[in-house]
Amino acid sequence: MVVGSDISRCPNTPWPTCRGYLHKRTHSGFVKGWRKRWFVLKHDGCLHYYRHKKDEGKCSPLEVIKLEGAEVGIDSSLGKPFVFNCVPQSGNRTFCFCATSNQEMKRWLEAMDKAIHPVHQNHVWEDVTLHNSNLPPLAIKNPECLGLLHQLDRNTDMWVQHYCILKDGCLYFYASIRSTQASGGLYLQGYRVNEQILSFKQSVIELKPPSEEFKTFYFCAENNTENQRWITALKASIKKWLPLHQAIQDFMNRPLEETRM
């Protein structure tokens, strides 16, 4: 399933993200030495890097390094300051990086260390959604909304049609109503639902993520009435699933109610 937001992490322990330029040592190609690259450490514990900052979100990364179980440490053998290494758990390759300052190096080492030793938490809700994804669409009990939606593929500017089921903050995608299981889905905790007008003046449903690490999704129903039906259902479904700290804060901010005798 496509994970819109990562609910398998403890909500009170923000999953580390880090981005910025680092110099990466290379021994391949015609040019050997240090190359400046744009690095992004994502919520899933994978380190992506690109040629330039502008490439993030527009181009595929040059490489993706899975950090869970990796070894990271400072390297003083090269006689160059702010150098540190990363050895992924799988494979025998060593990645050598150089930061611009001691503070930058510490920032990356701390974020990478948290990605290497992630805090996992089991969720009954996650088990239920995974179970539901293996069911035919009409076998999901008491759906909050269902019907056809078109999803915008931002890479091709094409609309892809899905038969969709909304249930408990999860949007399941099916190739058709006769499918035997979901082809994908989105965990929508923390997402905001808005109505937007795209360049071709068509009203669409925008699902805005709680963090820039996640994608913004655009959907369009068969007509404006259907759009409004989905927007109402999506807002209500997402509102049920607030992080604990936010639910407590909302409760504390509620006005005091009078007690009648």
Side-chain angles (χ1 to χ4, degrees):
M1 297 182 76
V2 178
V3 179
S5 56
D6 190 352
I7 52 85
S8 65
R9 310 285 177 185
C10 177
N12 296 321
T13 309
W15 189 233
T17 56
C18 199
R19 50 163 43 91
Y21 278 108
L22 289 171
H23 284 84
K24 175 182 168 294
R25 195 180 185 201
T26 179
H27 296 283
S28 61
F30 295 104
V31 180
K32 294 178 171 58
W34 297 90
R35 292 179 180 174
K36 188 177 181 181
R37 295 289 183 252
W38 177 255
F39 285 83
V40 180
L41 175 55
K42 297 204 170 187
H43 288 79
D44 59 2
C46 290
L47 184 65
H48 299 232
Y49 69 88
Y50 306 83
R51 293 187 190 279
H52 309 287
K53 179 180 180 179
K54 64 181 181 181
D55 294 338
E56 182 188 348
K58 296 181 180 179
C59 305
S60 297
L62 297 174
E63 195 163 359
V64 178
I65 307 166
K66 185 177 180 180
L67 294 184
E68 186 168 355
E71 294 182 8
V72 175
I74 298 173
D75 184 354
S76 55
S77 65
L78 299 177
K80 185 178 176 68
F82 321 132
V83 173
F84 57 99
N85 291 332
C86 174
V87 183
Q89 190 175 38
S90 58
N92 54 6
R93 184 177 175 186
T94 298
F95 293 88
C96 190
F97 307 116
C98 182
T100 55
S101 67
N102 189 52
Q103 183 177 359
E104 268 294 282
M105 181 179 70
K106 285 184 176 180
R107 181 173 76 94
W108 276 103
L109 286 174
E110 288 176 2
M112 291 171 76
D113 183 67
K114 290 176 182 177
I116 290 167
H117 306 99
V119 177
H120 293 281
Q121 181 173 340
N122 295 324
H123 286 259
V124 173
W125 179 87
E126 188 178 26
D127 293 337
V128 171
T129 57
L130 291 175
H131 170 75
N132 285 344
S133 69
N134 290 314
L135 298 175
L138 300 183
I140 296 180
K141 296 180 180 179
N142 304 317
E144 293 158 10
C145 201
L146 53 81
L148 292 175
L149 282 177
H150 295 79
Q151 180 188 355
L152 178 61
D153 185 335
R154 302 307 297 270
N155 295 323
T156 62
D157 281 333
M158 301 280 290
W159 290 89
V160 181
Q161 180 177 281
H162 304 287
Y163 187 80
C164 296
I165 297 283
L166 176 65
K167 173 71 173 176
D168 291 337
C170 186
L171 185 63
Y172 301 90
F173 301 144
Y174 299 85
S176 76
I177 195 172
R178 298 180 181 86
S179 299
T180 57
Q181 62 182 26
S183 57
L186 293 174
Y187 294 156
L188 296 175
Q189 279 68 22
Y191 270 69
R192 298 189 305 277
V193 185
N194 304 297
E195 185 176 15
Q196 292 287 352
I197 305 297
L198 294 188
S199 56
F200 43 84
K201 297 183 180 180
Q202 181 177 356
S203 176
V204 300
I205 304 165
E206 179 189 63
L207 294 176
K208 195 80 173 175
S211 164
E212 62 182 7
E213 292 301 309
F214 299 120
K215 291 182 180 180
T216 298
F217 295 93
Y218 295 94
F219 295 93
C220 183
E222 298 298 304
N223 52 56
N224 188 58
T225 301
E226 281 292 285
N227 267 2
Q228 294 303 320
R229 182 173 73 91
W230 275 101
I231 288 172
T232 301
L234 285 163
K235 286 182 177 179
S237 187
I238 292 171
K239 191 176 181 180
K240 293 179 183 178
W241 297 90
L242 295 177
L244 179 60
H245 66 277
Q246 185 178 338
I248 294 173
Q249 187 64 43
D250 289 352
F251 177 79
M252 297 299 292
N253 290 337
R254 286 171 56 187
L256 294 175
E257 297 181 359
E258 293 184 4
T259 303
R260 295 183 178 180
M261 301 297 291

